[in-house]
Amino acid sequence: MRRLRTAFQVLVVAAVAVTGVRHALGWSMTTIEKYCPFGGLETAYALVTRQKFTCAAGELNLALFLALILLTLLARKAFCGWVCPLGAVLEWWGRLGRRWLRFSSFDGWWRPSDRTRKVLQTVLRSVVLAAVLAATWATGELVFRGYDPYYILFSAHGHDVMFWSYFILGGLLALGLAMPMAWCKYLCPLGAALWPASKPGLLRLRRSPDHCTECGACDDACPQSLPVSSVMEVRSGECTLCFECTAACPVAGALELRAPGGKP
Amino acid sequence: MRVPPWTVPLLVLLCAALGLAGARFLVRPSVVLDLAQAPSDADLRTTVLVVGGLFCVDTAERAAGQLDGLPGVVRFTAYASRNRAEVLYDPAVATAETIRKAIEGPVYDKETGEFLFGLYRVVEADGVKYSAP
């Protein structure tokens, strides 16, 4: 499953990078924004109030956002772990940071309590989401572009990317070394928008106390730093169903994917 | 109920396909501009253009401005996310070629008072490709 997920990530990253470069070179009119589901959320207000899309956002953004909500209701934040190209790059970067700086887990240099992490995630990401949506809806422009690490990274110096945009990207990469996947965990506005759909998500990982040795390997392997070994079921809205925990688990059958209903 | 792990990538693919296929049901124009009243007996035609440089609401409105005052042009409809414009015109007065040339012509920038050249390029008209974007 790890190889399959990596293949998904590599394919998406390559496709987005090629799209960005082709557009920058003038070989194609397709921009990387065209397939961004967050654009669907950004344009939703304009569509409801003015029956028009915002700026360069269009029907594909909206359709992909609606499909993403459906996916999240079924498989939690599988998008983040399997599809998001920025999430993939930051995960690979975070792994590099873990190896270089010899961190035992994806927490990095700072290991907050579960409660502190939840509060920080909720507050910081909600603030970013509210600011982006308020600015977009007030101006009718995709004002987040110049600050959006996804756009800065993959657009090959696209429209609205300024020199200071690279400082933002550089800062996030530096932060991502010390605190792997800090953007995804604490700042991503799409992550905040998906949380209400992800929390009641249908699929979840269940830990079998009969098999589990409580070695904690799953906790260290989780890119989202979830305390897998201390819960019976991973019901967190942050779980990306990446199966890193099941791959790290030394006992077969200790962690399994479950859906409600049927035999326990 | 136990679920095989491959369910997750399968759901990802299904939802991606659903999103890509479902977009066609959500198509809305970015700009619709009625430029002139058509004569009641006119046999109007539509030319469908794919325009390089038309990628957002602002650029679509500016492209519509290129046709403002062009005789025979009745309505301009733009789909910015698809770089697409549909122009309703009276073939007795205007031609698809004059519309194409008007869109590609110099654009007057109200803020600077200058003319901007090469802002728009029609890369496809009614299914016929003209040039690379």
Side-chain angles (χ1 to χ4, degrees), chain A residues 119-184:
Chain A
V119 170
L120 270 178
Q121 276 175 340
T122 307
V123 173
L124 292 177
R125 288 196 308 204
S126 300
V127 167
V128 174
L129 177 65
V132 171
L133 291 184
T136 307
W137 293 350
T139 62
E141 296 287 330
L142 297 175
V143 288
F144 185 46
R145 265 192 296 224
Y147 310 86
D148 179 359
Y150 161 71
Y151 191 75
I152 302 166
L153 187 61
F154 290 108
S155 69
H157 200 70
H159 186 65
D160 282 351
V161 173
M162 305 294 171
F163 79 95
W164 46 259
S165 302
Y166 296 102
F167 285 96
I168 294 174
L169 184 64
L172 280 173
L173 288 176
L175 185 66
L177 273 184
M179 292 169 66
M181 302 186 73
W183 166 264
C184 307

Side-chain angles (χ1 to χ4, degrees), chain A residues 56-126:
Chain A
E59 64 279 355
L60 192 54
N61 302 96
L62 187 65
L64 287 172
F65 180 70
L66 294 175
L68 174 57
I69 295 292
L70 176 65
L71 173 67
T72 310
L73 285 168
L74 295 171
R76 297 177 182 269
K77 287 189 178 171
F79 170 82
C80 306
W82 288 77
V83 185
C84 179
L86 181 65
V89 169
L90 291 177
E91 186 187 328
W92 300 335
W93 185 249
R95 287 188 191 285
L96 211 62
R98 272 188 73 173
R99 193 170 294 176
W100 280 350
L101 302 169
R102 297 174 192 274
F103 295 134
S104 62
S105 74
F106 272 89
D107 272 318
W109 64 271
W110 183 52
R111 192 157 209 163
S113 69
D114 199 33
R115 184 178 164 75
T116 307
R117 185 184 296 112
K118 279 180 186 168
V119 170
L120 270 178
Q121 276 175 340
T122 307
V123 173
L124 292 177
R125 288 196 308 204
S126 300

Side-chain angles (χ1 to χ4, degrees), chain A residues 1 4 8 26-27 29 34 52-53 55-56 58-60 63 67 70-71 82-83 141 243 256-259 261 263, chain B residues 1-6 8-9 11-12 15 18-19 23 26-28 30 50 52 55-58 81-83 123 133:
Chain A
M1 204 46 61
L4 184 61
F8 264 67
W27 296 352
M29 289 198 292
K34 193 167 182 172
K52 281 182 182 177
F53 291 112
C55 193
E59 64 279 355
L60 192 54
L70 176 65
L71 173 67
W82 288 77
V83 185
E141 296 287 330
F243 297 107
E256 285 179 335
L257 187 64
R258 297 268 177 167
K263 290 178 183 175
Chain B
M1 182 175 61
R2 216 174 130 188
V3 178
W6 51 259
V8 175
L11 284 172
V12 167
C15 287
L18 190 69
L26 299 168
V27 174
R28 294 277 182 287
S30 313
V50 177
F55 54 83
C56 67
V57 174
D58 284 351
S81 64
R82 303 165 139 210
N83 314 99
V123 294

